[in-house]
Amino acid sequence: MSTAELLKGAAELFPDEVVTQAQVRHLDLPGAGRFALITLDNGLDHTKPTTFGPQSLANLDAAIDQVEAEASEGAIVGVGVTGKPFIFAVGADLKGVELLKRHEDALAIGRGGHDVFKRLAGLAVPTFAYYNGAAMGGGVEIGLHCRYRTVSAALPAFSLPEVFLGLVPGWGGCTLLPNLIGAERAVSVVIENSLNQNRQLKGAQVHELGIADAIFEGADFLEQSLLWTASVLKGELEIVRPAVDRGEAWDQAVAHGRAFADSKVHGAAPAAYRALDIIAAAKDGDLQAGFDAEDRALADLIMGGELRAGIYAFNLVQRRAKRPAGAPDKSLARPVTKVGVVGAGLMASQLALLFLRRLEVPVVLTDIDQERVDKGVGYVHGEIDKLLLKSRIGQDKANRLKALVTGVLDKAEGFADADFVIEAVFEEMSVKQQVFAEVEAVAPAHAILATNTSSLSVSEMASKLKHPERVVGFHFFNPVAILPLLEIVRGERTDDAALATAFGVAKKLKKSAVLVKDAPAFVVNRILTRFMGEIQNVIDEGTPVEVAERAVEPLGLPMSPLVLLELVGPAIGLHVSETLHRAFPGRFTVSENLAAVVKAGKRGFYVYDSGAPELDPEVAALLKQGDTVLTEEQTRERVLDAVAQEIGLMLAEGVVAEAQDIDLCLITGAGWPFHLGGITPYLDREGVSERVNGKPFLAPGVASVPA
């Protein structure tokens, strides 16, 4: 079947494609001759990046027909490819990938892209890619098929993110990139950056890595690129690239990539390993064999559960997070021109810094003594100084931000004109009720009173106030600057204006807000506590610590349960488990071993004297275990059953609107992997949901291959 027929068939499967045009125009390069420039453009502004669906590839194929004929006739001296303003191209259209139901259709997507892109390399004249703006996936790969590349110094994002989503760079990325810049650098881009939460490269890094041959400023990037092109075509400029090491260094790079993938996904997601297999085989420079391997890997992964879960997760973070389910009309939101923070400890200081940087309004901290207040303000000033040192902000902005943050002991002085006051004090109901009573007495009648509680009832906290309707849960996750999730909790009497204001503030803070019912521990902490509680139960009953830890490695979580406990702090973990035990005594236990670890003042179960985590002998001496020893498989089944049961109950209680919100919370608040889609697609795929609740959490095709 010809490429045109292949793409026509694929286009019929995807009628809603946002089509990219490939417009050819001709330029006379000074002293070099007539030059064809192909511009990729979907006709929309930069907020709708250019993608490659089947019809878009067909349009590019037709443009190459034209320039191929011109090149063979001697009518042009070269061909360039560039993008619309701010966007080069961001790869395959994932909405089309979601629709594929058959392996052969998936194979056609891979072959179609290869067949079109390869033609650029086969033209009778030199080809150039001008990375003028964001370039990802297939956008990067079309440029790799060209002989020369330039990059804009203003380019904000450049990546091969496929492994992050559960794919491989399948239109030449795995094969061409290592042959261009060597295996070590290619593994860094394809594997490490992807598995480090889809880290992006800037223009300067693209040039330093050797992906681009030249870098020019953004303002006149295309003009400078074309002048440079003329110099290359005239022979005035020779592009010399360093030789690629095809010896032991190549094998070491692949081995390092495998070790890195193991540390991140523990063998639980196949994409990284398939990509590394192709990079390993690319050592011999056989490009066609590499392209064929990319086609097979793409088709296999497109028809696998991990990619569908990855796309589902991507859609949650990109779409659902921007339109939170159940949020009230945003026109009800009140303006926030001053923020009060009760407390000046580390969490409160992090919150003050975030509000200051995102809202750029006065922020005032209070605490019980001047020393604490000064320390909190000092922390914020110190963080602003760090931003200045890194050139993230200028001196004027640093001065302005520092002037906006203050600290006082008297709440009346600090909060009399505040529109939004958030407390971040000790996690004790009586303490929080007292704080809110004091704030209500001095804050304006319209002010929103927000609590950063991680597990206590917002309704109970507001119950003794004259105006409980303005109290809202506003639960951040640590570290505040990094984790995007914000659980917004509606108390029994919270009104729409307070809730709308909370969502409006969340948006300005650039957080992913999820509306949560006022239920014990809300979403993330409830699921994590059940998850970690079951691990703890298994250990207490007699299973060795290392077996219990290894049991959940196939989930590919960012860290093991006991390392997470160390990060959270055993005392906080114990406190939350006690809170949930009081609410749900039949399902949540309070571990005597964990209580003993907290009582002994231990910061965790491990010591790191050797560099790797090893069970602390003092903790081992504290543990009192039974004689029931489970295997890794038995442990994993128990833990997953517990999590599936808890999620089922939470959905029945209406803690969130849908299973999608549970997954969004776990991805953005606990760093659970994209390749799991959070958790519910994995539970569905492994048959756990059916076994525990009698039905899957998601409809077929939502995070799986359509029926």
Side-chain angles (χ1 to χ4, degrees), residues 609-677:
D609 301 338
S610 66
E614 293 174 358
L615 189 61
D616 183 340
E618 293 179 16
V619 170
L622 291 170
L623 295 182
K624 292 178 181 172
Q625 293 182 280
D627 52 11
T628 304
V629 180
L630 300 184
T631 64
E632 289 178 27
E633 290 74 20
Q634 289 169 325
T635 300
R636 185 163 55 252
E637 185 172 310
R638 251 185 71 173
V639 171
L640 292 177
D641 283 5
V643 170
Q645 183 195 31
E646 202 59 40
I647 292 171
L649 291 166
M650 289 166 71
L651 292 171
E653 291 168 28
V655 175
V656 289
E658 292 181 291
Q660 282 89 332
D661 294 311
I662 299 271
D663 293 318
L664 180 57
C665 285
L666 287 172
I667 292 163
T668 56
W672 281 38
F674 260 58
H675 67 257
L676 292 188

Side-chain angles (χ1 to χ4, degrees), residues 334-342 351 355 359 361-364 414-415 417-423 439 443-444 446-452 470 472-474 476 486 488 497-506 509:
R334 298 174 185 141
V336 173
T337 59
K338 183 178 180 181
V339 173
V341 182
V342 185
L351 295 181
F355 278 94
L359 271 59
V361 298
V363 175
V364 59
F415 301 155
D417 55 349
D419 305 304
F420 192 99
V421 180
I422 184 165
E423 68 75 24
V439 172
H446 70 270
I448 305 302
L449 309 185
T451 169
N452 185 45
R470 56 177 173 156
V472 64
F474 213 62
F476 290 87
L486 190 49
I488 295 185
L499 206 58
T501 306
F503 275 100
V505 169
L509 294 176

Side-chain angles (χ1 to χ4, degrees), residues 3 6 17 34 97 146 156 197 222 242 309 369 372 439 441 443 486 502 554 560 590 623 664 670:
T3 302
L6 203 70
E17 176 186 353
R34 194 162 180 256
V97 173
C146 296
Q197 294 300 309
L222 187 57
D369 60 54
R372 293 181 200 219
V439 172
L486 190 49
S560 76
V590 178
L623 295 182
L664 180 57

Side-chain angles (χ1 to χ4, degrees), residues 384-400:
I384 292 168
D385 286 337
K386 287 180 194 173
L387 293 169
L388 181 61
L389 274 173
K390 292 176 187 169
S391 301
R392 300 266 298 278
I393 56 173
Q395 186 67 59
D396 285 351
K397 185 160 187 180
N399 293 344
R400 192 167 75 252

Side-chain angles (χ1 to χ4, degrees), residues 103 106-115 117-118 137-138 141-142 144-145 160 162 166-179 186 190 271 274-282 286-302:
H103 194 273
L107 200 58
I109 289 290
R111 286 185 181 152
H114 271 133
D115 288 350
F117 287 4
K118 269 191 319 194
E141 290 169 307
I142 188 174
L144 296 177
H145 284 270
L160 289 169
E162 287 84 354
L167 275 176
V168 298
W171 286 342
C174 291
T175 304
L176 295 173
L177 192 63
N179 278 291
V190 173
R274 292 295 293 266
L276 286 161
D277 288 345
I278 301 168
I279 292 171
D286 184 340
L287 299 186
Q288 189 53 52
F291 296 161
D292 292 342
E294 288 175 352
D295 288 341
R296 289 191 298 273
L298 263 188
D300 292 347
L301 292 166
I302 284 172

Side-chain angles (χ1 to χ4, degrees), residues 425-583:
V425 299
F426 185 65
E427 194 76 346
E428 185 70 52
M429 181 59 76
S430 59
V431 175
K432 290 185 184 284
Q433 285 180 330
Q434 182 187 338
V435 161
F436 271 158
E438 291 169 3
V439 172
E440 187 180 48
V442 298
H446 70 270
I448 305 302
L449 309 185
T451 169
N452 185 45
T453 183
S454 59
S455 60
L456 300 177
S457 166
V458 174
S459 302
E460 188 181 342
M461 214 177 291
S463 62
K464 297 182 179 178
L465 298 179
K466 294 188 187 76
H467 294 285
E469 69 279 358
R470 56 177 173 156
V471 177
V472 64
F474 213 62
H475 179 218
F476 290 87
F477 289 78
N478 220 348
V480 169
I482 295 171
L483 290 175
L485 179 63
L486 190 49
E487 290 179 338
I488 295 185
V489 187
R490 180 170 208 155
E492 287 171 12
R493 297 174 67 183
T494 306
D495 66 17
D496 282 353
L499 206 58
T501 306
F503 275 100
V505 169
K507 189 171 184 181
K508 286 180 180 168
L509 294 176
K510 298 186 178 174
K511 293 295 180 184
S512 298
V514 175
L515 180 61
V516 179
K517 184 181 174 183
D518 187 18
F522 316 126
V523 176
V524 173
N525 284 342
R526 180 162 164 185
I527 292 170
L528 288 185
T529 304
R530 186 78 198 272
F531 171 77
M532 292 171 68
E534 207 57 44
I535 295 272
Q536 189 73 58
N537 289 344
V538 168
I539 293 170
D540 293 353
E541 290 165 18
T543 300
V545 168
E546 61 274 15
V547 173
E549 286 270 81
R550 276 200 311 270
V552 292
E553 278 189 356
L555 275 74
L557 299 175
M559 62 191 76
S560 76
L562 293 184
V563 172
L564 175 61
L565 180 67
E566 197 170 299
L567 181 72
V568 170
I572 293 173
L574 180 65
H575 177 77
V576 176
S577 69
E578 288 170 342
T579 301
L580 281 159
H581 176 68
R582 284 194 295 274

Side-chain angles (χ1 to χ4, degrees), residues 74-142:
I76 54 174
V77 293
V79 174
V81 180
T82 193
K84 67 182 185 181
F86 310 109
I87 304 288
F88 181 76
V90 299
D93 192 322
L94 291 177
K95 292 195 292 296
V97 173
E98 285 177 86
L99 301 173
L100 298 174
K101 299 179 184 178
R102 302 183 311 161
H103 194 273
E104 54 264 44
D105 293 332
L107 200 58
I109 289 290
R111 286 185 181 152
H114 271 133
D115 288 350
V116 175
F117 287 4
K118 269 191 319 194
R119 296 183 66 197
L120 285 167
L123 291 177
V125 293
T127 49
F128 299 78
Y130 308 128
Y131 290 125
N132 65 299
M136 296 170 201
V140 168
E141 290 169 307
I142 188 174

